[in-house]
Amino acid sequence: MYHFKNLSNWTSIVCNLSGTVSKVNISGVNLKGTLAQFNFTLFLNLTCSLDLSNNNLSGPIPPAIGNLSKLTYLDVGLNYFDNIIPSEIGRLTKLRYVSLYSNYLNGSIPYQFRNLRKVWYLDLGSNYLVNPDWSKFSGMPLLTRLSLSYKELTSGFPGFILDCHNLTYLDLSLNKFTGPIP
């Protein structure tokens, strides 16, 4: 296992009692670059959160992010990430909060998101995502907030939403859905 010297003294890093990293919060610090060379294996025990929001990060979100299996909070919103959303995010089954808001992500929303059964907050708004096969999605039983706004999705109403019984906030604005709302 790799240990950083005095890591718990870093402002944006929180360690648990055993000295392993549990939280990384590098939001709003004007961080520039990509995650292409980021070594996610150094943070396999990251048990709480990864917050890289509100920076100037670009390029794709690496599939290796799916190795952070203990993660409960992921926020990479308000950056310049592009390319597809890696389906490996669906392996992060302990996630409760996911924000990919306001990036340049494109392609389809991975149906593997259906594996995120503990998520209560999901924001995929303000990206360039295209219509997924909604039939491959299933309800997220704890989901209370969902935003699929600003995408210009053109398919029918996302039926899986009807199985999200705890939903209290839904934003589907600025899309071009067709057909009836069930």
Side-chain angles (χ1 to χ4, degrees), residues 154-157 176-182:
T154 58
S155 66
F157 184 82
K176 296 178 181 176
F177 290 118
T178 58
I181 297 174

Side-chain angles (χ1 to χ4, degrees), residues 27 47 83 101-102 108 118 127 142 145 150 153-154 159 174:
S27 63
T47 56
N83 213 317
Y101 172 76
S102 192
S108 183
K118 294 182 179 181
N127 281 290
L142 303 177
R145 293 184 58 89
Y150 299 99
L153 297 172
T154 58
L174 297 171

Side-chain angles (χ1 to χ4, degrees), residues 14-73:
V14 175
C15 295
N16 60 23
L17 293 175
S18 68
T20 58
V21 177
S22 63
K23 182 186 260 189
V24 175
N25 183 347
I26 310 175
S27 63
V29 295
N30 201 28
L31 191 62
K32 295 178 183 168
T34 70
L35 295 180
Q37 301 300 319
F38 187 79
N39 188 353
F40 286 95
T41 58
L42 295 177
F43 297 97
L44 292 179
N45 289 317
L46 191 61
T47 56
C48 189
S49 66
L50 177 61
D51 189 344
L52 303 174
S53 65
N54 198 18
N55 281 295
N56 293 303
L57 296 169
S58 59
I61 298 171
I65 200 166
N67 294 329
L68 304 178
S69 62
K70 299 176 183 177
L71 203 61
T72 59
Y73 182 101

Side-chain angles (χ1 to χ4, degrees), residues 3-17:
H3 290 281
F4 294 94
K5 191 169 189 162
N6 297 322
L7 191 59
S8 60
N9 294 331
W10 292 19
T11 305
S12 300
I13 308 282
V14 175
C15 295
N16 60 23
L17 293 175

Side-chain angles (χ1 to χ4, degrees), residues 1 28 54 64 70 87 106 147 180:
M1 176 184 273
N54 198 18
K70 299 176 183 177
S87 61
N106 56 59
S147 176

